[in-house]
Amino acid sequence: SVGLARKFSSILDTVFCLGAFVASRNSLMFVADLQGYSMGIQAMAMHESQLVWFRKLYLVFSRYMFINNYAKIN
């Protein structure tokens, strides 16, 4: 897991993720384009009663809406 500051640094965390991805051979990285980001927002909007203020902040600031990386655990 990444630190709290990186979790909510949105797309700015891409630089750190790319560096870690290049340095490690046992990792995968998924990056969403604008269409993927839009689909995530639409999916959250489908559950309007659940879309409270802190989830709206998550949609804007969470790095996981844009980029996600996985490291293999041995």
Side-chain angles (χ1 to χ4, degrees), residues 47-57:
H47 307 280
E48 192 173 334
S49 66
Q50 298 295 312
L51 196 56
V52 291
W53 67 270
F54 57 89
R55 290 201 176 108
K56 290 177 184 176
L57 289 176

Side-chain angles (χ1 to χ4, degrees), residues 15-72:
V15 175
F16 296 108
C17 285
L18 287 173
F21 179 70
V22 170
S24 175
R25 292 184 180 194
N26 293 329
S27 65
L28 294 171
M29 181 168 47
F30 297 95
V31 180
D33 57 4
L34 289 177
Q35 182 180 6
Y37 177 72
S38 177
M39 284 177 62
I41 291 175
Q42 289 174 0
M44 290 287 277
M46 297 283 289
H47 307 280
E48 192 173 334
S49 66
Q50 298 295 312
L51 196 56
V52 291
W53 67 270
F54 57 89
R55 290 201 176 108
K56 290 177 184 176
L57 289 176
Y58 178 87
L59 290 174
V60 175
F61 293 110
S62 176
R63 74 186 286 272
Y64 299 114
M65 289 296 293
F66 295 101
I67 190 165
N68 206 340
N69 55 335
Y70 299 95
K72 183 178 179 179

